[in-house]
C-alpha cells in the first residue's frame, strides 16, 4: 500500500511537470517563424540620430564605430526580444524550483496521503493559474513588440515613398536646369552674332561718315583755288557739309566708346601673343575713337617697351598718368623706362610714387635699392632691400644685391650672411659664389674662398673671370702651380684677356720659368703694345736670363711709354750698375728717386687699388 502510494504521487508529479512544459510561454523556435518582413532593414536607419556636420578647415577626425559582432541590421529589435526571452527563461527556472519543492512535499507526506494529495492538488491549481497569468502577460508584451515592428515597417514604407518623390522632383529640377543652360548658351551665341553684326554695321557707318567728311572737305577746298571766273562770294555754301558732320560726332560717342573698348581688348590680346606692333596699332585705333581712354595709353606703353622704344613708351605712360594718377603699375613701369633712358633720379621718384600707392610692391623696393646703390647711398639701399625682403623673402636676387652693398660698406660678415641666404634659395648662380669668395678673402678666410670659387667654376666652367680670380687667390697663397693652371684655363677661354696674361707672367716668374715668362710677356705686349708694365716685367725676366742688352732695351721701351715709372728707372739703374756702367746707372737711379719723391707728394698717380689688390669682383 505504501509503495503504490509513492508511485501514485510520483506519477502525479510527473504529470504536473508535463502540463507545465506544455504551458511554457515562449518556445525556443518562436523567432524562426516570426514574420518581421523587410521592416528589419530600416529600423536602424530611422532610430539612429545623425550628427550635424560642422564646417572645418583641418582634416576631419576619424571616429571609431562599435563592433556589432556579425549581428543583423535589426540588432536593436532582436536584442529587445532576446531580453524578453531571458526574462521568460528566468520564470521557467523559478517554476522548476517550485515543482521540485512540491515533489519533495508529496514524497514527505506519504503518511497522510489523502489530505496531502488534496492539499497538493489545490496548491498545484493555484500555481498553474499564476503561471498561466504570467505567460499571458509575456504574450501581450510580445504582441506589443510585433505592433511596434509593424508600425516601424509602415513608417519605413512612407519614408521610402517620400524619398522617391523627392528624387523625382530633383530629377525634374535637373532636367529643367539643363534645358535652361542649353537655352542660355544658344542665347549667348545669338548675342555674339548680333554684336559682330552691330560692330560691322557700325564700322561701315563710320567709314561712310569719314568718306562723307572727306568729300565735304574736298568740296570746301575747291573754291579756295584762285580762278578768274569764280566770284568772291562763291565759297559761302561750303559750311553746309561741316554742319552735317557735327551731329554725327554728337551722336557717336556711345558707339565710339564701345568700339574703343573692343580695340583695347584686341590690343591686350595681341600683347599676350607678343605681336607688339599690331598691338600698338590697335591701341592707336582705340585712342582715335576715345583719346581719354587711360588704359589704352597704358597698354600702348607696355607694347612700346617690348619693342625697346623707350622714349615713346614714356610719353604713353605720362598720358596714362594724366588720366589715372593713382595707378601704381604705371608709375612702376615709368620708372623702369626712365632707368633705360639713364634718367635715374626721375626713375627713383617714379618708384617712390608707386610705393606710396602700393607699399607692398616687392619689385619697386628692389629696383629702388638698385638705384640707391648706383647713387652710392648704401644705407638707404639696404633699407630698400630689407623692405623688399619683408614682402618677398624668397627672391635670391635681393639677398645677393644686399650682400654686394654690405661688401661696399666693408661689412663682410653680414655680406656673407646675405650670400648664404641667396645660396639657400638658389645655389645655381655662380655670381653669388664668386662674390662670396671675394668677401671671404677680405676676412682672410682663404680656404673658404677657394671652396666658393670651386663652386662657382663648377656651375659656370667657361667663365674666364672666375679662373682668373681663382688664379689670383692661389698666387696670394703661393700655390703657384695651381695658379698657373687657373690662368691657363682663363687664357684658353679668352685669349685676348690682357690682365690674365699679366698675372700669368708674374706666376711664371715666381716659378722661375723665365723663358716661358718672356714668351708670356710677348703675348701680353702683342695685345697691348703701349703697356709699359709688360715691357718692364719682360726686361726683369730677360735680366734673369742674363740677356742684358735685351733687358735694357725693354726697360728703355717701358720708360719711353711711361716716363714717370720709377720701377723701370730703378731696374735699369741696377742692371747698369752690375754692368759697371756707373754714370748711366747713377742717372737712372737718380731719376727713380725723384719720381718717388713726386709720388709721395701726390703729383703722379699710381696704380689703382683694384690693380694692386689682384682681385676682381664679378659684375652683377
Amino acid at each position: 500500500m505504501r509503495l503504490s502510494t509513492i508511485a501514485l504521487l510520483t506519477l502525479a508529479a510527473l504529470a504536473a511537470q508535463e502540463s507545465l512544459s506544455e504551458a511554457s510561454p515562449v518556445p525556443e523556435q518562436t523567432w524562426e517563424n516570426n514574420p518581421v518582413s523587410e521592416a528589419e532593414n530600416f529600423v536602424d536607419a530611422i532610430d539612429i540620430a545623425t550628427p550635424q556636420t560642422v564646417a572645418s578647415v583641418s582634416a576631419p577626425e576619424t571616429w571609431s564605430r562599435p563592433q556589432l559582432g556579425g549581428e543583423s541590421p535589426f540588432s536593436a529589435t532582436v536584442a529587445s526580444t532576446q531580453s524578453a526571452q531571458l526574462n521568460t527563461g528566468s520564470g521557467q527556472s523559478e517554476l522548476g524550483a517550485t515543482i521540485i519543492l512540491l515533489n519533495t512535499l508529496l514524497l514527505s507526506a506519504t503518511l497522510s496521503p489523502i489530505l496531502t494529495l488534496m492539499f497538493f492538488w489545490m496548491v498545484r491549481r493555484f500555481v498553474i493559474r499564476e503561471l498561466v497569468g504570467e505567460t499571458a502577460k509575456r504574450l501581450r508584451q510580445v504582441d506589443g513588440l510585433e505592433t511596434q515592428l509593424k508600425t516601424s515597417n509602415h513608417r519605413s514604407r512612407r519614408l521610402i515613398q517620400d524619398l522617391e518623390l523627392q528624387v523625382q522632383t530633383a530629377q525634374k529640377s535637373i532636367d529643367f536646369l539643363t534645358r535652361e543652360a542649353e537655352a542660355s548658351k544658344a542665347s549667348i551665341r545669338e548675342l555674339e552674332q548680333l554684336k559682330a553684326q552691330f560692330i560691322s554695321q557700325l564700322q561701315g557707318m563710320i567709314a561712310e561718315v569719314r568718306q562723307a567728311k572727306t568729300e565735304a572737305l574736298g568740296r570746301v577746298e575747291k573754291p579756295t583755288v584762285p580762278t578768274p571766273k569764280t566770284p568772291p562770294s562763291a565759297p559761302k555754301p561750303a559750311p553746309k557739309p561741316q554742319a552735317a558732320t557735327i551731329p554725327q560726332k554728337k551722336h557717336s560717342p556711345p558707339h565710339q566708346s564701345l568700339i574703343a573698348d573692343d580695340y583695347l581688348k584686341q590690343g591686350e590680346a595681341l600683347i599676350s601673343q607678343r605681336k607688339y606692333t599690331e598691338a600698338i596699332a590697335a591701341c592707336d585705333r582705340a585712342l582715335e575713337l576715345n583719346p581719354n581712354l587711360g588704359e589704352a595709353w597704358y597698354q600702348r606703353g607696355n607694347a612700346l617697351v617690348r619693342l625697346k622704344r623707350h622714349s615713346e613708351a614714356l610719353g604713353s605712360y605720362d598720358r596714362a598718368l594724366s588720366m589715372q594718377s593713382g595707378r601704381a603699375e604705371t608709375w612702376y613701369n615709368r620708372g623702369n623706362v626712365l632707368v633705360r633712358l639713364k634718367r635715374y633720379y626721375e626713375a627713383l621718384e617714379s618708384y617712390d610714387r608707386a610705393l606710396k600707392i602700393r607699399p607692398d610692391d616687392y619689385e619697386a623696393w628692389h629696383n629702388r635699392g638698385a638705384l640707391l646703390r648706383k647713387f652710392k647711398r648704401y644705407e638707404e639701399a639696404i633699407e630698400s632691400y630689407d623692405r623688399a625682403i619683408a614682402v618677398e623673402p624668397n627672391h635670391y636676387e635681393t639677398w645677393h644685391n644686399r650682400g654686394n652693398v654690405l661688401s661696399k660698406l666693408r661689412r663682410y660678415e653680414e655680406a656673407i650672411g646675405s650670400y648664404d641666404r641667396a645660396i639657400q634659395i638658389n645655389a645655381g648662380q655662380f655670381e653669388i659664389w664668386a662674390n662670396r669668395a671675394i668677401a671671404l678673402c677680405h676676412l682672410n678666410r682663404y680656404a673658404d674662398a677657394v671652396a666658393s670659387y670651386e663652386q662657382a667654376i663648377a656651375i659656370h666652367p667657361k667663365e674666364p673671370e672666375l679662373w682668373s680670380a681663382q688664379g689670383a687667390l692661389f698666387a696670394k697663397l703661393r700655390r703657384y702651380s695651381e695658379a698657373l693652371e687657373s690662368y691657363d684655363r682663363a687664357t684658353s677661354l679668352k685669349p685676348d684677356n690682357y690682365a690674365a696674361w699679366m698675372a700669368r707672367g708674374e706666376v711664371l716668374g715666381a716659378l722661375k720659368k723665365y723663358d716661358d715668362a718672356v714668351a708670356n710677356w710677348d703675348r701680353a705686349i702683342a695685345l697691348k703694345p703701349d703697356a709699359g708694365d709688360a715691357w718692364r716685367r719682360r726686361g726683369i725676366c730677360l735680366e734673369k736670363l742674363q740677356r742684358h742688352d735685351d733687358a735694357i732695351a725693354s726697360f728703355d721701351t717701358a720708360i719711353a711709354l711711361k716716363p714717370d715709372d720709377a720701377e723701370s728707372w730703378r731696374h735699369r739703374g741696377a742692371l747698369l750698375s752690375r754692368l759697371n756702367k756707373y754714370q748711366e746707372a747713377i742717372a737712372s737711379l737718380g731719376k727713380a728717386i725723384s719720381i718717388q719723391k713726386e709720388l709721395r707728394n701726390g703729383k703722379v698717380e699710381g696704380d689703382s687699388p683694384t690693380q694692386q689688390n689682384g682681385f676682381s669682383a664679378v659684375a652683377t
Side-chain angles (χ1 to χ4, degrees):
M1 181 65 184
R2 185 182 297 273
L3 181 61
S4 62
T5 303
I6 294 172
L8 181 61
L9 293 173
T10 302
L11 290 173
L14 292 173
Q17 188 173 3
E18 288 176 1
S19 64
L20 289 174
S21 63
E22 290 175 358
S24 178
V26 183
E28 294 180 358
Q29 303 297 325
T30 301
W31 285 105
E32 291 182 358
N33 299 321
N34 185 21
V36 178
S37 75
E38 62 189 23
E40 297 173 357
N41 297 327
F42 299 96
V43 172
D44 286 347
I46 296 171
D47 295 339
I48 294 177
T50 304
Q52 296 181 355
T53 58
V54 179
S56 174
V57 176
S58 61
E61 296 181 357
T62 302
W63 295 94
S64 60
R65 299 186 60 172
Q67 299 294 329
L68 299 180
E71 296 178 356
S72 63
F74 49 90
S75 58
T77 305
V78 175
S80 63
T81 306
Q82 288 178 353
S83 66
Q85 289 180 351
L86 290 175
N87 293 333
T88 306
S90 64
Q92 289 180 355
S93 62
E94 294 175 358
L95 179 60
T98 305
I99 292 172
I100 293 172
L101 179 60
L102 291 174
N103 290 334
T104 304
L105 291 174
L106 288 172
L107 291 175
S108 64
T110 55
L111 295 177
S112 56
I114 297 173
L115 294 175
T116 304
L117 184 61
M118 291 177 64
F119 175 76
F120 175 75
W121 184 258
M122 291 174 66
V123 173
R124 175 179 173 275
R125 286 174 63 86
F126 176 77
V127 171
I128 289 173
R129 188 182 298 113
E130 291 294 328
L131 292 175
V132 170
E134 184 66 23
T135 301
K137 185 186 295 184
R138 300 293 183 183
L139 289 174
R140 285 193 297 272
Q141 292 179 355
V142 173
D143 292 337
L145 292 175
E146 290 180 355
T147 303
Q148 291 180 0
L149 289 175
K150 291 180 180 179
T151 304
S152 298
N153 186 14
H154 179 68
R155 291 178 180 175
S156 300
R157 289 179 179 177
R158 287 183 59 186
L159 180 61
I160 290 172
Q161 292 175 357
D162 293 340
L163 289 174
E164 289 177 352
L165 290 174
Q166 292 179 4
V167 169
Q168 292 176 0
T169 305
Q171 186 63 39
K172 291 179 180 178
S173 300
I174 292 172
D175 295 338
F176 175 76
L177 291 174
T178 303
R179 290 193 299 270
E180 290 296 324
E182 292 176 355
S184 299
K185 290 181 180 178
S187 300
I188 291 172
R189 287 194 294 269
E190 291 178 359
L191 288 174
E192 291 292 337
Q193 293 175 359
L194 291 173
K195 179 181 176 181
Q197 294 175 2
F198 176 74
I199 291 173
S200 62
Q201 293 176 0
L202 192 58
Q203 289 176 348
M205 293 172 61
I206 293 172
E208 292 177 359
V209 170
R210 289 181 177 175
Q211 184 176 1
K213 181 179 179 180
T214 303
E215 293 176 357
L217 291 175
R219 288 194 295 269
V220 170
E221 291 175 357
K222 285 181 180 179
T224 59
V225 179
T227 56
K229 294 182 181 180
T230 304
S233 60
K236 290 182 180 179
K240 291 183 180 179
Q242 293 180 356
T245 59
I246 293 174
Q248 293 290 336
K249 292 185 179 180
K250 289 183 179 179
H251 292 288
S252 59
H255 304 291
Q256 287 182 355
S257 62
L258 177 62
I259 295 298
D261 290 338
D262 290 338
Y263 280 117
L264 172 60
K265 292 178 181 178
Q266 183 181 3
E268 292 174 351
L270 290 169
I271 290 174
S272 64
Q273 297 172 9
R274 299 183 179 181
K275 298 179 180 180
Y276 303 120
T277 303
E278 299 175 20
I280 294 170
C283 292
D284 290 342
R285 189 67 182 275
L287 292 169
E288 288 177 4
L289 300 173
N290 186 2
N292 296 322
L293 191 59
E295 183 66 22
W297 287 109
Y298 173 73
Q299 296 296 342
R300 184 177 186 272
N302 293 342
L304 289 167
V305 168
R306 296 293 190 276
L307 296 176
K308 297 183 179 180
R309 293 160 60 178
H310 298 122
S311 297
E312 298 176 69
L314 179 61
S316 292
Y317 288 140
D318 287 339
R319 289 293 299 272
L321 289 171
S322 66
M323 303 166 193
Q324 298 175 345
S325 60
R327 185 169 184 174
E329 296 88 348
T330 311
W331 285 108
Y332 172 74
N333 290 352
R334 182 178 183 271
N336 293 341
V337 169
L338 288 167
V339 170
R340 298 293 186 275
L341 297 173
K342 297 183 179 181
R343 293 162 61 176
Y344 300 120
Y345 287 100
E346 297 176 68
L348 184 60
E349 293 176 358
S350 287
Y351 291 140
D352 289 339
R353 290 292 298 271
L355 290 169
K356 287 181 180 179
I357 300 169
R358 190 167 62 190
D360 58 346
D361 190 340
Y362 159 78
E363 290 85 359
W365 283 114
H366 178 90
N367 291 359
R368 183 177 184 272
L371 277 181
L372 290 169
R373 176 190 173 193
K374 183 179 289 291
F375 297 150
K376 297 183 179 181
R377 293 159 59 178
Y378 298 127
E379 296 291 349
E380 297 177 68
I382 292 175
E383 292 178 2
S384 287
Y385 286 137
D386 288 341
R387 291 293 298 270
I389 289 169
V391 177
E392 292 287 345
N394 294 322
H395 285 275
Y396 78 92
E397 300 92 344
T398 309
W399 287 104
H400 181 202
N401 290 353
R402 182 177 183 271
N404 292 341
V405 175
L406 289 167
S407 294
K408 292 288 185 180
L409 294 173
R410 299 184 181 181
R411 293 158 59 177
Y412 299 116
E413 291 288 355
E414 297 177 67
I416 293 170
S418 286
Y419 293 140
D420 290 340
R421 186 62 185 275
I423 290 169
Q424 289 177 0
I425 299 170
N426 187 353
Q429 300 295 322
F430 76 93
E431 298 94 341
I432 307 174
W433 289 103
N435 290 337
R436 181 178 183 271
I438 294 171
L440 289 167
C441 288
H442 285 290
L443 295 175
N444 298 327
R445 294 167 57 181
Y446 299 118
D448 294 335
V450 170
S452 286
Y453 275 129
E454 289 175 351
Q455 288 285 346
I457 290 172
I459 295 169
H460 193 15
K462 294 184 178 181
E463 176 54 52
E465 294 299 329
L466 291 176
W467 290 104
S468 296
Q470 187 187 52
L473 178 58
F474 283 141
K476 190 174 187 66
L477 297 174
R478 299 189 178 184
R479 295 162 59 175
Y480 297 119
S481 298
E482 296 172 86
L484 184 61
E485 292 177 2
S486 295
Y487 285 126
D488 287 341
R489 290 295 300 271
T491 54
S492 65
L493 292 171
K494 189 178 179 182
D496 58 347
N497 190 342
Y498 171 77
W501 285 108
M502 292 289 290
R504 184 177 182 272
E506 293 289 346
V507 172
L508 288 169
L511 291 172
K512 297 182 180 181
K513 297 181 178 181
Y514 300 118
D515 289 323
D516 295 337
V518 171
N520 184 91
W521 297 124
D522 290 340
R523 185 65 182 271
I525 290 168
L527 294 174
K528 194 174 180 180
D530 58 347
D533 293 339
W535 284 104
R536 182 185 71 244
R537 291 168 183 174
R538 180 178 183 272
I540 293 172
C541 289
L542 289 169
E543 182 181 355
K544 297 292 184 181
L545 292 172
Q546 304 296 321
R547 295 167 56 182
H548 299 135
D549 293 336
D550 294 335
I552 291 174
S554 291
F555 292 139
D556 290 341
T557 304
I559 291 169
L561 294 171
K562 193 175 181 180
D564 56 353
D565 185 7
E567 289 296 313
S568 296
W569 286 107
R570 186 177 65 80
H571 283 289
R572 184 178 185 275
L575 177 57
L576 290 170
S577 176
R578 283 192 290 273
L579 294 175
N580 298 325
K581 297 180 179 181
Y582 299 113
Q583 290 183 352
E584 297 180 57
I586 291 171
S588 295
L589 293 174
K591 184 65 174 177
I593 292 171
S594 64
I595 293 172
Q596 287 177 349
K597 287 182 178 179
E598 292 177 355
L599 288 174
R600 283 194 295 270
N601 294 330
K603 294 182 179 181
V604 179
E605 295 180 359
D607 292 340
S608 63
T610 55
Q611 293 174 344
Q612 294 174 359
N613 187 17
F615 295 99
S616 60
V618 178
T620 59

